[in-house]
Amino acid sequence: MAAALGVATVAATGGCVNVSAPDKPIEINLNINITQEVVYRLDGEAKNLIQQNPGIF
């Protein structure tokens, strides 16, 4: 009986977890550089068609 009481006491006090907030604020630096490049090529035939009909678009 004493052994069972000892195991129950250890089990009840052994699972304590303390969580506390840090003293300083958490700082996250994200250095992100986004570059976009658009490359287009126009077929020679399509280019001539657009030049001949400027109001097509």
Side-chain angles (χ1 to χ4, degrees):
M1 176 105 166
L5 183 60
V7 170
T9 304
V10 170
T13 60
C16 293
V17 175
N18 281 334
V19 178
S20 60
D23 296 336
K24 294 187 265 183
I26 298 171
E27 182 177 332
I28 300 173
N29 290 323
L30 297 174
N31 296 323
I32 299 173
N33 185 7
I34 299 173
T35 305
Q36 182 178 6
E37 182 178 333
V38 178
V39 178
Y40 71 92
R41 295 185 190 147
L42 190 58
D43 183 46
E45 198 173 309
K47 185 177 180 181
N48 290 336
L49 181 64
I50 291 171
Q51 287 176 347
Q52 292 172 0
N53 301 307
I56 198 169
F57 290 106

